[in-house]
């Protein structure tokens, strides 16, 4: 059972890495691959918080680490000259890059703080998700264009 847990944690941590490197930086596909890493990690934590999956500290650690590390590199995908070709990325990103970077840094910092005081159970994971979700939601509200 422990081997499966460790395997799941490694998969969450590495999810999408090859997809990101296979894509050219600054493209919608590269940005989307990074967001899928965050979404996958949040999904694992959500399943634990809802009781759909048992609490596993190693899985939670891997998910939080993935969120933190991904948030650190995400703004690098929005360099000058990459403003076109991505219908989901608002021009506001490039107009207010400092705020965009600050929001990503806050997500990373919050994930690291939660990691340092790792939630001990599903309820704690749920609380962590509220903090992280507020970060994600605020950035999406300001900088993402819904393409549905």
């Amino acid at each position: 059972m422990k081997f499966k847990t460790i395997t799941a944690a490694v998969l969450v941590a590495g999810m999408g890495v090859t997809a990101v490197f296979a894509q050219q930086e600054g493209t919608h596909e590269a940005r989307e691959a990074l967001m899928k890493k965050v979404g996958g990690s949040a999904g694992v934590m959500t399943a634990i918080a809802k009781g759909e999956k048992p609490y596993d500290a190693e899985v939670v650690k891997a998910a939080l680490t993935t969120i933190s590390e991904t948030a650190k590199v995400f703004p690098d995908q929005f360099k000058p000259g990459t403003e076109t070709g991505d219908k989901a990325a608002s021009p506001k990103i490039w107009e207010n890059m400092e705020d965009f970077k600050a929001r990503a840094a806050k997500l990373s910092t919050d994930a690291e703080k939660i990691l340092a005081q790792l939630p001990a159970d599903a309820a704690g994971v749920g609380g962590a998700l509220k903090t992280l979700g507020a970060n994600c939601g605020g950035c999406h509200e300001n900088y993402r264009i819904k393409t549905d």
Side-chain angles (χ1 to χ4, degrees), residues 11 18 21 24 32 38 41 53 63-64 71 79-81 87 95 97 104 109 112 115-117:
L11 288 174
T18 54
F21 292 116
Q24 185 176 4
E32 186 176 56
V38 172
S41 294
K53 300 280 183 186
L64 289 167
K79 292 180 172 119
K87 294 178 182 175
E95 294 166 7
M97 184 58 74
T109 299
E112 288 172 1
L115 186 57
Q117 295 188 352

Side-chain angles (χ1 to χ4, degrees), residues 93-145:
I93 294 169
W94 292 270
E95 294 166 7
N96 199 357
M97 184 58 74
E98 290 308 310
D99 181 64
F100 183 71
K101 287 180 179 180
R103 288 173 182 271
K106 183 171 181 343
L107 174 61
S108 178
T109 299
D110 284 350
E112 288 172 1
K113 285 179 186 175
I114 295 165
L115 186 57
Q117 295 188 352
L118 191 67
D121 56 22
V125 173
L129 281 167
K130 287 181 184 178
T131 299
L132 299 175
N135 287 317
C136 295
C139 198
H140 282 197
E141 186 176 307
N142 288 303
Y143 298 115
R144 182 178 178 213
I145 297 171

Side-chain angles (χ1 to χ4, degrees), residues 3-91:
F3 177 75
K4 287 182 181 180
T5 300
I6 292 170
T7 302
V10 169
L11 288 174
V12 168
M15 196 166 53
V17 171
T18 54
V20 171
F21 292 116
Q23 301 296 329
Q24 185 176 4
E25 280 194 6
T27 64
H28 173 75
E29 290 80 15
R31 295 167 184 160
E32 186 176 56
L34 288 171
M35 283 294 94
K36 284 185 178 185
K37 285 179 65 175
V38 172
S41 294
V44 167
M45 291 176 62
T46 298
I48 291 171
K50 289 181 173 181
E52 296 168 358
K53 300 280 183 186
Y55 173 83
D56 186 316
E58 294 304 313
V59 171
V60 175
K61 284 180 191 177
L64 289 167
T65 299
T66 297
I67 292 168
S68 175
E69 291 176 357
T70 304
K72 287 177 185 172
V73 300
F74 189 65
D76 296 340
Q77 294 297 313
F78 297 86
K79 292 180 172 119
T82 63
E83 299 90 338
T84 60
D86 189 341
K87 294 178 182 175
S90 171

